[in-house]
Amino acid sequence: MKDFDLSAFLADLRTLCAIDSGHFNAPGTAAVADFFESRYRALGLRTERRYYDNNDFAPFLTARNSEDEQIDVLFVAHMDTVFPVGTGAQWPLEVDADGLAHGPGCIDCKGGCLSLYYLLRQMLQAGDCRFRFCVAMNSDEERGSAYSRPYFEALAQKMRTCKTKLEFQKAFCYTILKRFARDTTQGVTLDLTAQTDKTSAYTYISNHRDIILDSGFLSVELIDKGMDTVEIAIGDNLLIYPWIKKFVRVNKSFIVQRALTMRQMLESSGRMSRYMHHTIKDKNQSIWIAQREGRAKDSNDRTQESVLKMLAMGGEGDIIDRLIEMNILPLAISYEYDPCDYLKAQEFQLKRDIPDYKKTQEDDLKNMQTGLFGPKGRVHFQVASCINEELEKLDRSLSKPELFSQISALIDRRIHANYRMYPGNYIAHDYLSGTQAFAGHYTAEEKKHFTDYIDQQLARIELPNKDIPFLREKMLLMYANPLTNYLATRTDNPK
C-alpha cells in the first residue's frame, strides 16, 4: 500500500495480540470489537454490534460505507482465538531477525482484521471506494461459526449479484485499474479517432509492454468512452495460482495454451481461432491480443506470423477472407517508462552468460508486480485504422509464407507509425548513435532526468558479474527502438 506505516501497523497489532480473546472469553472478544468499531466509526462507517441469541459472550460486528442494505463486496474475518486467558501477557508480539512477526492471533486472524482495516482506510481516504461494502467480523469462528453463520448468510443474500462479466469489471476491476493509473502514471490516454465505427467488434492487435496493464488500461479507457471492454488473450504460463485462472476468466479472458506438442498446439490453435471468430462475428465482442508471444524485450515490436496463422485457422474462405472477418485494428501502446526495463536487461545478460537459462514462475511474478506498481510516466494508446481495405488489395495468389509476411509487415507499419514519442526515446537514440540529431526534442533537464533514471534502474540489477556497458546498451535500445521503427515508416504513408 502507498504510504504504508509499518511501525504504526505493528503497534496496533501488538495491542490486539495482547488482548486475550479466546472464543470463550466475552470481555476479550468485546475488547477486540471495541478496537475496530471505534476505528471504523472514525472513518465515517456505519457500525452495528449484535449478539447471538441475546448472549453477550460473542459479539458480531459489521461496518458499512453505505446506508443501502444492498452491498457489492462482503469482507469476512473473525476476532476470536483459541488461546487461554493470560497468553497475551506471556507471549507478546515480537518480530524476529527474519522480519517475521509472532504472537497469539498474529495471523489468524487479528493480523487479517487489521490489514483489512488499513486497506479500507487508505481506499476511503483516497476516494477509491466506488463500491458498497460490508465488513463482518464474528467471535465464534474457532468453534465453527455455529452461532454467527445465519448472520453471514443473511449478509451474503444482500450482495448485489453481477449478472455479466462487464458488470463485474465495472464494479470491481475498473476502480482498481483507475487507482493504478492514478498512482503509477502521469496519465493514460486513448485515441480512437481512426476507429470510425464504434459499434462493430474488432480484434485489437498491439505491441506488448506490460503483462497485465496493457489490456487493463485499454478496457478502462473504452469504458470511459462509453464502449464495451475487450476479451483478452492471456498465456497459461501466467496462471501461476488457481485464483489467477478464476479471476482472469471472469474478467473476460481466454487462455492461450503453451508448452504443447506440435499436434496439441495445432488443435489448441484451431480451437482458439474458432472461438475468436465466433466472438467477433456472433457475439459482437471485441478482442485484445498481443502481436507476439510475450513482450518484445528490446521494444523492437514485430508481429509474429504464427499469430496471424492462428487467426486464419477459423472462419470461412481463403486466408484474406478469414482475416477480414476478424476486423483487425493495429494498436500502438507507448509507455514513457517501462518499470520492468531493468529486469529485461538483466534477462538479456543471463541469456548471454547461461545458454540454457529460462525464467521461473518467481520471475514472472516479479515482472507482474514490478509492472503493476512501478512508475510509468505517460501512457498512450493509439488505434490505427482497420486493415481490411489493405487486405482486399493483396494478391491472393501469393504463397502463404509471402502473404503472412506482407500482412505482418502491414500491421507492424501501422503500429510503428502510431507510437507516441517521449523525450527518453530521442535521448536514448542520440546516446546510441553518438550524435545530437534529436537534441531539439528534449531539454538539458529532461536529458539529465532520463540519464539519472537509467542509472537508478541499472543499480537495481542484481548479478554477480554485472556487465554495466552491456546492460546500459540494452536498456537504451528499449527506448531507442520505437523511434527507430517510427522513423522507418515516415515514407510509407501507413495511415
Side-chain angles (χ1 to χ4, degrees), residues 296-314:
K297 301 298 188 294
D298 59 359
S299 300
N300 185 16
D301 302 311
R302 304 287 170 179
T303 302
Q304 287 180 335
E305 294 179 17
S306 58
V307 174
L308 298 178
K309 291 176 182 177
M310 179 275 295
L311 292 177
M313 293 177 76

Side-chain angles (χ1 to χ4, degrees), residues 78-83 103-112 141-142:
H78 67 94
M79 300 178 285
D80 58 321
T81 70
V82 296
F83 300 101
C106 172
I107 298 298
D108 183 17
C109 180
K110 291 176 178 177
E141 191 274 343
E142 297 295 356

Side-chain angles (χ1 to χ4, degrees), residues 1-5 8 12 38-45 65 115-131 133 175 179 182-183:
M1 293 186 292
K2 187 176 181 182
D3 302 324
F4 175 66
D5 188 341
D12 282 340
S38 63
R39 283 160 175 75
Y40 279 125
R41 282 185 176 177
L43 294 178
L45 302 189
N65 68 332
S115 296
L116 175 60
Y117 163 72
Y118 268 71
L119 173 64
L120 292 175
R121 184 181 68 177
Q122 180 164 312
M123 292 182 70
L124 288 164
Q125 291 175 345
D128 286 338
C129 278
R130 296 178 54 174
F131 53 88
F133 68 79
T175 300
R179 178 169 183 171
R182 186 200 68 197
D183 291 348

Side-chain angles (χ1 to χ4, degrees), residues 124-384:
L124 288 164
Q125 291 175 345
D128 286 338
C129 278
R130 296 178 54 174
F131 53 88
R132 299 165 296 181
F133 68 79
C134 175
V135 176
M137 298 189 290
N138 66 337
S139 301
D140 65 334
E141 191 274 343
E142 297 295 356
R143 64 173 80 188
S145 302
Y147 295 96
S148 59
R149 189 174 301 278
Y151 291 99
F152 282 130
E153 291 176 349
L155 286 170
Q157 289 298 320
K158 294 180 180 179
M159 289 185 67
R160 183 182 70 186
T161 302
C162 294
K163 297 180 176 62
T164 67
K165 293 179 180 179
L166 180 59
E167 288 181 1
F168 171 82
Q169 289 178 315
K170 287 182 176 180
F172 306 111
C173 304
Y174 179 90
T175 300
I176 296 170
L177 288 165
K178 272 292 190 182
R179 178 169 183 171
F180 278 119
R182 186 200 68 197
D183 291 348
T184 70
T185 79
Q186 293 178 10
V188 179
T189 52
L190 167 65
D191 187 342
L192 288 171
T193 305
Q195 184 179 331
T196 55
D197 182 359
K198 303 296 193 295
T199 60
S200 297
Y202 294 92
T203 303
Y204 296 94
I205 294 185
S206 80
N207 57 313
H208 195 14
R209 289 292 178 265
D210 185 85
I211 295 172
I212 298 173
L213 295 179
D214 287 352
S215 57
F217 282 158
L218 173 62
S219 286
V220 164
E221 292 301 306
L222 288 172
I223 289 175
D224 284 346
K225 293 183 183 298
M227 299 171 66
D228 195 0
T229 57
V230 291
E231 288 202 12
I232 304 161
I234 182 171
D236 62 1
N237 61 301
L238 302 177
L239 308 181
I240 298 169
Y241 300 117
W243 70 264
I244 297 180
K245 186 173 183 178
K246 292 178 181 178
F247 179 80
V248 300
R249 284 194 181 280
V250 77
N251 198 32
K252 294 173 73 170
S253 298
F254 55 94
I255 310 304
V256 181
Q257 293 181 300
R258 294 176 177 163
L260 302 175
T261 65
M262 182 62 70
R263 181 173 180 175
Q264 290 172 330
M265 182 63 71
L266 286 172
E267 293 174 350
S268 175
S269 296
R271 184 167 54 252
M272 184 167 66
S273 182
R274 291 190 294 273
Y275 173 77
M276 293 177 70
H277 279 266
H278 164 70
T279 300
I280 295 293
K281 184 179 178 180
D282 302 323
K283 295 167 62 177
N284 197 39
Q285 165 68 64
S286 293
I287 293 170
W288 172 86
I289 188 170
Q291 66 181 160
R292 52 165 291 146
E293 179 181 328
R295 298 163 295 163
K297 301 298 188 294
D298 59 359
S299 300
N300 185 16
D301 302 311
R302 304 287 170 179
T303 302
Q304 287 180 335
E305 294 179 17
S306 58
V307 174
L308 298 178
K309 291 176 182 177
M310 179 275 295
L311 292 177
M313 293 177 76
E316 299 178 354
D318 61 15
I319 290 173
I320 298 298
D321 292 330
R322 294 179 181 208
L323 291 180
I324 286 176
E325 188 176 285
M326 294 304 294
N327 292 335
I328 295 173
L329 276 179
L331 169 65
I333 304 178
S334 305
Y335 285 66
E336 186 171 13
Y337 296 102
D338 180 353
C340 295
D341 49 18
Y342 77 99
L343 294 173
K344 295 175 181 177
Q346 178 174 286
E347 186 177 341
F348 272 118
Q349 184 176 334
L350 287 169
K351 287 183 175 179
R352 183 198 69 178
D353 298 344
I354 308 172
D356 58 347
Y357 170 79
K358 290 184 179 180
K359 285 199 304 180
T360 64
Q361 285 189 343
E362 289 74 18
D363 293 325
D364 284 333
L365 281 172
K366 186 171 184 178
N367 272 268
M368 285 191 280
Q369 180 184 32
T370 303
L372 279 172
F373 295 99
K376 304 160 190 65
R378 292 165 285 184
V379 179
H380 182 67
F381 291 73
Q382 183 69 47
V383 174

